[in-house]
Amino acid sequence: MRTIILAIFCVLCLGLSLDALSLNGQRTWRANRKEAAAAPRGEKLLKRVRRGWMWNQFFLQEEYTGSDYQYIGKLQSDQDHGNGLVKYVLSGEGAGTIFVIDENNGDLHATRRLDREEKAFYILKATVVNKRTGQKLEPETEFIIKLHDINDNEPHFSQEVYTGTVPERSDIGTSVIQVTATDADDGMYGNSAKLVYSISQGHPYFSVDPNTGVIRTALGPGDMDREQRENYQVVIEAKDMAGQRGGLTGTTMVNITLTDVNDNPPRFTQSIYQFRVPESSKSGTPVGRIRAADKDVGKNAEMYFTIVSGDGLDTFDIFTDKATQEGVITVSKPLDYEKKPSYTVEIQVQNTQIDPRFMSAGSKDMATVRIAVEDEDEPPLFDKDSYLMEVKEDAAVGTALGSVSAIDPDGARSIVKYAIDRRTDMDHLFNVHPENGSVFLLKSLDREEAAWHNISVIAIELHNSRQSSHVSVFIHLLDVNDNAPTFATVYETFVCERTKHPKTLIQTVSAVDADEPSAGHKFFFSLAPEGTYRSNFTIRDNGDSTASILTRRASYSRLQQSMYLVPVVITDGDFPMQSSTGTLTVRVCTCDREGNMELCNAQPLSSAPGLSTGALIAILLCAIILLMIVVLFTALKRQRKQEPLIISKEDVRDNVVSYNDEGGGEEDTQAFDIGALRHPQSTAILEESTKQRRDIIPTDTLLYAPYRQHGSCSSGLLMPPVGVPSRDNGDVCEFINQRVLDNDCNPTAPPYDSLATYAYEGAGSVAESLSSLGSMSSEADQDYQYLSDWGPRFRKLADLYGAEDSDFS
């Protein structure tokens, strides 16, 4: 009922306001008319335009719910005399659709329900025209229709759900979050858009500022404890009309979380912990885990553990597992059940970060940890981590180098046996006594081959071979002077034929020794006994393990002797003294006035400057290739000009050309030409031109006349065969004997690179010639039975040739 009465009151107030505005418009128009009438004639009024309208703006209430068109107002012109000749015309925003005008009387209506929040005002234009002529009677004038706001929109928050946080144990009034709401109604007209915030859910923990919407804590530090309650849901209301009754309300939800602060120290879950660990556990082996609880979360719950006291302070260690925040106890030193079977330690826990507002620096907790060591069967234990033994390199086989010792650490004290790990002594140089651990030699040693030997000795329990341990034994061989010194390098020098004076230095020599005496090397040099007698050189020991080689005379002859070998005895200074003889090669060379070598013997000095060996070989190969090309070209040219030895066409002979000798090559066919043997006269002219073989050209042929003596063919070497004509036999014998004598009696003939054999096989054969050239063309019957006497291979041939033609028909 009160709401209805309030609405009627608002409508009445709105009507009075409109009437006041209308009267104000009429008064304004009439005042203008009186002012214009009072003005003297002929004077201009201050450029005031005559207004024919009785209004300048209209007001319309939004959200009209009536069934008829809502009346806005009436337009009236001075040109309208009520005779029906005037027509009102409306244009502008919404003209003809939202707003209509009665063209006869100027009544203005709204055709639909309007919302101020969509559009707050409309701009229109109106004029009057003559209905008959259509001429405008008034200039077009603009006016505004404004919508009066009503409270038809409720407040809306910017978020449906807000999330805020505040540290636990905060003071009263600590700001948490600010919420904001807006109202679409007109804030300039009445209280429709004036909002007031209030909290409808969340008491008594939080409060909200009614004007700003800031949410604050409403309880003290003791009541806002995260460990008791962490999350809160707060409902905030925003009410328009300044919170008066009848206003509209909007709500939102705020989720508030208390963040953690470090206000709780860690506490062990139990006061005593007990663990067991095998005595064979290595360093770093985990023993057990202990846990402490902390009501805080995140970094405030991070903690670290320390061992503060106890008999295992140095034997065990503890660290914090970052994932679980547990303390992990580990072994830091080897354990021995026989020495100490149990340990007790005190463990302390505290936070890594401490908030001084809530906890003091002494917020710690303590717990006792008892650790029992479990007995195990352990391998033998050596009394040293490693052993070092020394022995002279000339020690005899079986010499003891030292001993190792190991015991069983268990209470049973089992017997221990020793052995060499042969993987470290592949050559079986050492051995160990299985009972007392004495290490001795199996083979002779040489320090120059290896000065150190590293072996491993194994200790094994007698009754449990799986229990074993190893130890390293380093054996150092001590040096014995058993190597003679030698030259540091191969020395080769030269001496000039004319030296400046005797005792000229030509070379400084030094020595090396494979031995390593403790006092360092000391070498002495002297000439060997075989070199002191009538020696051309002398030696001077410089006293610094070097020696100088000096000349003993001022001149040498390269033609008489081009090279000298100087034996030098090198002796070391250690005991027993060792010595050796080194040879120094000295070549005699021609030198200039400054003593620089100019010419030496054919064998070059290794240290002399010049071309390298590779370059000399390359030059020599090139020279040989060029020489071979020249010789081959000359031989081919001569072969083309040589006439055939067989002049007569009737004297057809078989020429046997042999290429299996090492000299002469393909052109060396003269010694095997049967025609030349048969007709020596035909080759006389050729012999005069060539004299000898191409590879034999003596330079002093005129010094010795060829000794010619007709040899007899009656010797055993040159017996003519039976059945050969005497002329031929004589010619062949004479030719061969002459060649043999020429070669035997010529002392200037160069050495042969091949062996030329002159021998006459004789003529005639049981089988005679098988050549087709000498065979007779006869169809007479022949007897081939003699072939059967030659053996089984010719018997088949005799059968084939001795068969009658009728045998094949």
Side-chain angles (χ1 to χ4, degrees):
M1 187 63 181
R2 294 179 180 178
T3 303
I4 297 174
I5 295 173
L6 181 61
I8 295 172
F9 176 75
C10 291
V11 173
L12 292 176
C13 291
L14 180 61
L16 292 175
S17 300
L18 291 175
D19 291 341
L21 291 173
S22 179
L23 291 174
N24 187 24
Q26 291 179 4
R27 291 193 186 98
T28 303
W29 178 79
R30 288 172 182 172
N32 294 336
R33 290 293 297 271
K34 289 180 180 179
E35 185 178 350
R41 293 184 180 180
E43 287 188 14
K44 261 188 178 181
L45 294 177
L46 303 174
K47 295 183 181 181
R48 184 179 296 275
V49 180
R50 176 180 174 275
R51 294 288 302 274
W53 304 105
M54 298 184 301
W55 54 271
N56 56 3
Q57 62 181 353
F58 292 94
F59 293 90
L60 180 65
Q61 183 180 0
E62 69 167 333
E63 302 295 343
Y64 174 71
T65 59
S67 59
D68 298 331
Y69 289 170
Q70 184 179 5
Y71 179 74
I72 301 175
K74 185 179 183 63
L75 301 181
Q76 187 175 358
S77 175
D78 293 344
Q79 301 299 326
D80 186 4
H81 301 292
N83 53 7
L85 297 178
V86 175
K87 178 182 178 181
Y88 293 89
V89 179
L90 182 67
S91 63
E93 295 178 339
T97 56
I98 301 175
F99 305 102
V100 295
I101 190 172
D102 190 338
E103 63 180 13
N104 296 320
N105 56 24
D107 290 337
L108 188 63
H109 293 82
T111 62
R112 67 179 65 171
R113 176 181 173 183
L114 300 178
D115 188 0
R116 190 201 66 84
E117 285 70 36
E118 294 182 1
K119 191 171 180 61
F121 62 90
Y122 296 85
I123 300 176
L124 299 169
K125 296 179 181 180
T127 186
V128 291
V129 298
N130 190 303
K131 288 184 179 181
R132 296 179 180 177
T133 62
Q135 184 180 1
K136 289 184 179 181
L137 302 178
E138 290 283 351
E140 192 174 59
T141 305
E142 186 177 83
F143 64 94
I144 298 174
I145 299 177
K146 293 185 177 181
L147 298 180
H148 272 297
D149 182 50
I150 63 172
N151 190 17
D152 59 342
N153 291 280
E154 64 182 14
H156 287 280
F157 285 91
S158 58
Q159 299 179 21
E160 294 182 359
V161 178
Y162 289 84
T163 301
T165 59
V166 63
E168 63 172 331
R169 297 186 178 275
S170 298
D171 296 332
I172 297 176
T174 302
S175 176
V176 180
I177 192 174
Q178 183 179 14
V179 295
T180 304
T182 58
D183 197 323
D185 293 327
D186 190 1
M188 304 299 296
Y189 179 76
N191 295 325
S192 298
K194 187 175 183 181
L195 305 180
V196 175
Y197 299 95
S198 62
I199 183 169
S200 62
Q201 180 181 330
H203 292 292
Y205 305 102
F206 302 95
S207 63
V208 64
D209 189 300
N211 297 319
T212 62
V214 176
I215 302 175
R216 303 178 185 275
T217 58
L219 296 179
D223 297 321
M224 302 295 288
D225 190 0
R226 188 200 65 83
E227 286 72 33
Q228 295 180 4
R229 183 176 178 182
E230 183 177 4
N231 298 312
Y232 297 85
Q233 284 187 346
V234 179
V235 178
I236 302 298
E237 292 183 351
K239 192 173 184 181
D240 58 10
M241 296 299 293
Q244 297 177 5
R245 301 183 67 179
L248 302 178
T249 303
T251 60
T252 187
M253 179 177 292
V254 182
N255 293 326
I256 300 176
T257 301
L258 298 183
T259 57
D260 184 60
V261 297
N262 195 4
D263 57 344
N264 294 281
R267 293 287 183 263
F268 282 109
T269 56
Q270 58 191 76
S271 60
I272 298 176
Y273 295 86
Q274 293 184 352
F275 301 104
R276 303 182 68 84
V277 58
E279 65 173 334
S280 61
S281 299
K282 298 181 180 179
S283 179
T285 302
V287 177
R289 291 173 174 259
I290 59 176
R291 183 175 180 82
D294 194 333
K295 295 181 180 180
D296 298 322
V297 294
K299 291 187 176 181
N300 295 324
E302 292 181 358
M303 60 191 77
Y304 68 94
F305 301 84
T306 54
I307 300 177
V308 294
S309 63
D311 53 4
L313 185 63
D314 298 332
T315 308
F316 300 95
D317 198 0
I318 188 170
F319 68 92
T320 304
D321 187 344
K322 299 299 183 181
T324 61
Q325 292 299 313
E326 294 177 330
V328 182
I329 303 174
T330 59
V331 177
S332 61
K333 287 186 178 180
L335 304 176
D336 190 350
Y337 172 81
E338 287 72 26
K339 293 182 179 180
K340 191 170 181 60
S342 64
Y343 296 87
T344 301
V345 294
E346 296 291 330
I347 306 295
Q348 175 184 281
V349 63
Q350 61 182 358
N351 287 127
T352 57
Q353 298 179 357
I354 298 176
D355 193 338
R357 297 177 300 171
F358 308 106
M359 290 193 306
S360 62
S363 299
K364 307 171 183 177
D365 196 18
M366 304 288 293
T368 301
V369 178
R370 297 174 181 172
I371 303 173
V373 180
E374 296 179 348
D375 186 22
E376 288 188 348
D377 189 6
E378 300 176 83
L381 181 64
F382 284 94
D383 58 353
K384 295 182 180 179
D385 295 333
S386 62
Y387 294 86
L388 175 62
M389 301 179 183
E390 294 182 342
V391 64
K392 290 186 177 181
E393 62 175 322
D394 61 348
V397 175
T399 301
L401 312 181
S403 63
V404 297
S405 177
I407 60 172
D408 182 13
D410 298 321
R413 301 297 182 189
S414 299
I415 299 176
V416 177
K417 296 293 184 179
Y418 302 95
I420 296 289
D421 187 353
R422 290 305 173 187
R423 293 175 297 180
T424 62
D425 185 22
M426 303 289 290
D427 298 329
H428 291 255
L429 302 176
F430 308 95
N431 203 356
V432 62
H433 195 281
E435 296 180 359
N436 58 22
S438 177
V439 180
F440 57 90
L441 291 177
L442 286 180
K443 296 180 180 179
S444 299
L445 303 177
D446 187 0
R447 189 201 64 85
E448 284 68 39
E449 293 182 1
W452 287 88
H453 295 273
N454 302 332
I455 64 174
S456 180
V457 178
I458 309 173
I460 308 171
E461 289 187 10
L462 181 61
H463 301 293
N464 187 2
S465 60
R466 292 178 299 177
Q467 294 295 335
S468 63
S469 58
H470 294 67
V471 69
S472 297
V473 178
F474 304 101
I475 301 173
H476 182 210
L477 298 186
L478 300 178
D479 185 43
V480 174
N481 192 25
D482 57 349
N483 292 276
T486 59
F487 274 140
T489 183
V490 177
Y491 288 102
E492 185 177 346
T493 186
F494 72 96
V495 63
C496 297
E497 288 184 309
R498 294 292 183 268
T499 59
K500 294 181 180 180
H501 52 78
K503 297 185 179 180
T504 300
L505 175 65
I506 62 173
Q507 181 68 43
T508 300
V509 296
S510 62
V512 293
D513 194 338
D515 296 320
E516 292 184 0
S518 58
H521 289 293
K522 181 66 177 177
F523 301 115
F524 304 95
F525 300 86
S526 63
L527 286 175
E530 63 271 17
T532 56
Y533 177 71
R534 298 183 64 182
S535 174
N536 294 284
F537 302 93
T538 184
I539 188 169
R540 181 180 64 197
D541 195 322
N542 297 327
D544 57 353
S545 297
T546 63
S548 300
I549 307 299
L550 308 174
T551 60
R552 180 165 283 182
R553 48 195 176 93
S555 63
Y556 296 87
S557 175
R558 186 167 61 89
L559 297 178
Q560 293 180 0
Q561 186 170 352
S562 62
M563 183 177 65
Y564 295 90
L565 299 178
V566 181
V568 179
V569 177
I570 310 169
T571 307
D572 58 16
D574 203 3
F575 181 82
M577 186 175 293
Q578 301 285 343
S579 63
S580 66
T581 301
T583 301
L584 172 68
T585 302
V586 182
R587 301 186 184 277
V588 181
C589 301
T590 303
C591 303
D592 57 12
R593 294 183 178 180
E594 285 74 18
N596 299 321
M597 180 180 63
E598 289 183 346
L599 180 64
C600 214
N601 54 337
Q603 186 174 0
L605 293 174
S606 60
S607 59
L611 295 176
S612 63
T613 304
L616 293 176
I617 293 175
I619 294 174
L620 182 61
L621 289 176
C622 292
I624 292 174
I625 292 173
L626 290 175
L627 182 61
M628 291 177 62
I629 293 174
V630 172
V631 172
L632 181 61
F633 180 80
T634 304
L636 291 176
K637 189 173 181 180
R638 289 183 179 181
Q639 186 177 6
R640 291 176 182 176
K641 294 181 179 180
Q642 184 178 355
E643 295 181 358
L645 295 177
I646 303 177
I647 301 175
S648 176
K649 295 182 180 179
E650 297 178 356
D651 192 3
V652 180
R653 306 284 182 173
D654 289 340
N655 294 332
V656 180
V657 181
S658 177
Y659 296 92
N660 59 354
D661 68 333
E662 297 181 356
E666 296 181 355
E667 296 182 2
D668 191 11
T669 60
Q670 181 176 339
F672 305 98
D673 193 344
I674 300 300
L677 296 177
R678 295 294 185 184
H679 303 279
Q681 295 82 3
S682 63
T683 60
I685 299 175
L686 181 61
E687 289 182 356
E688 291 296 330
S689 61
T690 58
K691 293 295 181 183
Q692 296 186 20
R693 292 173 58 181
R694 294 185 181 92
D695 58 338
I696 304 174
I697 304 177
T699 56
D700 300 329
T701 55
L702 298 178
L703 296 179
Y704 302 93
Y707 177 76
R708 300 183 177 272
Q709 180 180 357
H710 297 283
S712 175
C713 294
S714 62
S715 62
L717 295 176
L718 301 177
M719 286 294 296
V722 181
V724 178
S726 60
R727 182 180 58 84
D728 293 344
N729 293 346
D731 293 341
V732 172
C733 290
E734 182 181 359
F735 177 81
I736 292 175
N737 290 330
Q738 184 64 40
R739 284 299 179 91
V740 171
L741 291 175
D742 290 345
N743 283 277
D744 289 342
C745 300
N746 189 0
T748 62
Y752 281 79
D753 60 352
S754 63
L755 178 65
T757 303
Y758 297 96
Y760 182 62
E761 296 180 355
S765 174
V766 177
E768 295 185 354
S769 177
L770 298 178
S771 173
S772 59
L773 297 177
S775 60
M776 300 176 61
S777 57
S778 174
E779 295 183 356
D781 295 336
Q782 298 184 16
D783 188 9
Y784 298 97
Q785 296 301 321
Y786 67 91
L787 296 175
S788 302
D789 300 332
W790 292 2
R793 295 185 178 182
F794 291 88
R795 188 175 296 114
K796 183 64 176 178
L797 186 62
D799 295 341
L800 292 175
Y801 282 89
E804 297 291 338
D805 295 338
S806 61
D807 296 340
F808 299 96
S809 60

